[in-house]
Amino acid sequence: MNLKQLQTFLNQNEIPTVKQNVGFLEIINKSHNETINSNLYAHFLSCKINPIKHAFLDALLDLIEEKASKKLSIAQFQVRTELATTTGRIDIVLEDNLNLNTILIENKIYHNLHNDLKEYWTFFKLNESKKVGVLLTLKPHTIPIEVQGKFINITHWEWISKVKEILDVDSLKDEAYKRYVTDFFNTIENISTTYKMNNSAKFFFNNAIQVNKAYDTIVEGHGYLISQYQLIAEKLGLQTYGSDINWRNIWDEENHLDTFITIDAQDLVSGKYPRYKIILELMRKDKDRVEELSVKFENHAQFNDKFRGQTRGMHCHFLVKEYDIDLNDLDKFAEIVEHNIKTDFNKIFIEVVEYLYPDKNINIWKHNFMAVNKND
């Protein structure tokens, strides 16, 4: 690999990235669930927040008029989901209670179209001028021959884009609904753009050779850091735990201690800042004794130069200290971190472990924390 050519390439090219705003459906892995998606559309079409309801309805009616040349009046209406027909279920149905104008919506995200749209159409015994079918899809989809002129295709993004033109989200007074619709917009945008070529993907294909070389350097960099984590643990007589490149626990596996040292290098790995953290971390029942430990060690010489980190789930970052590192010194990363641990954490770590685990024998590795290199 010609690293000079790669460095020149990276210096001369701004690599485009695509940032996706993650919504609640992405978090629970339900962004592609058609039933949930249909229920959300139905809710926004019938909710008590009039600006939202009218925006979703008006956007849909505008698209129907544009694509089907039908101007339907929908005023006093009801919205139903999963409406059973003779052979299936229609995902969303809008019915006007006064003039009986009806919109049938078959919602498709990633599933293939196997539904009997003709049966759905004939299930409603109405004049054709009073009903329209919508095949709602992620990308443009051909309407089956038997229902052409009856159903039209609207993409999710076409509908939501039209809603966004009509609805002033910032003016909504209900903060909860402001979040709901924004989140839904983000979800639709995320699932709608996965099949489109974006600038980041285009950049890759236009520069695949150099980008793949850059990826090779990631593999090498990660491999080096993993070996450094391992070396630190070996020098301290302990073991590593964890698979995320951004951090490693350095712990006593044999005694199965829930108090351990964590090395957090995520700022370094991300390129955000040449910095890493060393953490005295508590887990499970040890975490529940954090206040007791704070009182016990508040006057310890290695206590007050550190800060309390995050507590989440079973974990507590009891004592945290940050260290800057010159990138030119990364070839000595293990040596530098080992020195930091022995200088700033050795005594308090040993004493916390002995306080929490008085019956555990840690003599096999304890002395490694006290042995500071002669040139330190």
Side-chain angles (χ1 to χ4, degrees), residues 224-258:
Y224 172 74
L225 193 54
I226 290 170
S227 71
Q228 295 295 288
Y229 290 145
Q230 187 64 40
L231 184 56
I232 294 165
E234 288 175 359
K235 287 186 174 184
L236 296 173
L238 297 172
Q239 295 75 44
T240 61
Y241 179 84
S243 58
D244 191 319
I245 189 60
N246 293 293
W247 59 268
R248 277 298 184 281
N249 299 143
I250 310 296
W251 77 312
D252 183 344
E253 183 177 12
E254 183 176 344
N255 282 318
H256 207 84
L257 304 185
D258 284 336

Side-chain angles (χ1 to χ4, degrees), residues 91-110:
D91 291 322
I92 308 172
V93 177
L94 282 76
E95 296 175 281
D96 191 285
N97 298 322
L98 299 178
N99 55 39
L100 301 183
N101 287 339
T102 301
I103 302 172
L104 324 174
I105 302 176
E106 178 58 30
N107 184 3
K108 288 295 172 192
I109 296 183
Y110 281 155

Side-chain angles (χ1 to χ4, degrees), residues 116-367:
D116 189 347
L117 298 185
K118 185 176 181 181
E119 192 274 327
Y120 291 178
W121 180 260
T122 57
F123 181 79
F124 288 87
K125 311 302 181 184
L126 298 170
N127 186 290
E128 294 206 356
S129 64
K130 301 183 76 63
K131 59 183 177 179
V132 66
V134 174
L135 178 59
L136 184 63
T137 57
L138 278 184
K139 57 184 178 181
H141 195 292
T142 302
I143 297 297
I145 294 175
E146 63 271 18
V147 289
Q148 287 184 1
K150 299 175 174 57
F151 273 75
I152 59 171
N153 177 223
I154 294 175
T155 68
H156 287 272
W157 187 238
E158 284 177 323
W159 190 357
I160 293 305
S161 293
K162 186 75 74 172
V163 172
K164 292 175 73 173
E165 292 175 10
I166 298 170
L167 179 63
D168 181 2
V169 175
D170 292 334
S171 68
L172 294 174
K173 295 180 180 179
D174 191 307
E175 291 296 326
Y177 269 91
K178 188 182 294 187
R179 290 193 298 272
Y180 297 158
V181 293
T182 300
D183 217 43
F184 188 60
F185 292 165
N186 289 336
T187 293
I188 296 300
E189 182 172 10
N190 289 341
I191 64 176
S192 297
T193 55
T194 53
Y195 68 91
K196 294 180 180 178
M197 174 76 83
N198 58 42
N199 289 335
S200 187
K202 186 175 181 180
F203 181 89
F204 168 76
F205 288 111
N206 287 341
N207 304 279
I209 293 176
Q210 296 298 336
V211 173
N212 280 312
K213 288 179 181 177
Y215 178 75
D216 289 341
T217 69
I218 294 176
V219 173
E220 292 296 324
H222 286 192
Y224 172 74
L225 193 54
I226 290 170
S227 71
Q228 295 295 288
Y229 290 145
Q230 187 64 40
L231 184 56
I232 294 165
E234 288 175 359
K235 287 186 174 184
L236 296 173
L238 297 172
Q239 295 75 44
T240 61
Y241 179 84
S243 58
D244 191 319
I245 189 60
N246 293 293
W247 59 268
R248 277 298 184 281
N249 299 143
I250 310 296
W251 77 312
D252 183 344
E253 183 177 12
E254 183 176 344
N255 282 318
H256 207 84
L257 304 185
D258 284 336
T259 292
F260 43 82
I261 296 291
T262 296
I263 303 166
D264 181 341
Q266 58 183 321
D267 285 347
L268 188 61
V269 173
S270 68
K272 179 181 177 182
Y273 197 80
R275 175 176 58 204
Y276 59 92
K277 299 173 186 173
I278 297 176
I279 304 165
L280 199 168
E281 186 164 351
L282 309 173
M283 190 171 73
R284 299 190 181 93
K285 292 182 179 179
D286 293 2
K287 184 206 77 169
D288 297 336
R289 299 178 68 179
V290 64
E291 296 307 323
E292 175 188 345
L293 292 171
S294 297
V295 173
K296 170 71 177 176
F297 293 97
E298 62 181 347
N299 295 317
H300 195 286
Q302 292 183 343
F303 183 87
N304 291 314
D305 64 336
K306 301 169 181 67
F307 62 89
R308 177 74 54 82
Q310 66 179 6
T311 297
R312 182 180 299 170
M314 297 187 299
H315 299 264
C316 172
H317 290 179
F318 178 50
L319 296 175
V320 183
K321 189 166 184 176
E322 295 181 337
Y323 300 86
D324 294 341
I325 186 169
D326 191 309
L327 294 179
N328 292 320
D329 291 333
L330 281 176
D331 59 341
K332 298 178 290 185
F333 184 74
E335 180 183 337
I336 293 171
V337 174
E338 180 197 4
H339 171 74
N340 295 147
I341 292 172
K342 289 180 176 180
T343 302
D344 299 331
F345 283 85
N346 59 346
K347 294 179 181 179
I348 196 166
F349 176 64
I350 295 295
E351 291 175 33
V352 167
V353 168
E354 290 180 332
Y355 180 74
L356 293 174
Y357 297 91
D359 297 328
K360 295 288 187 179
N361 182 5
I362 62 172
N363 289 326
I364 192 171
W365 54 263
K366 177 180 176 179
H367 64 281

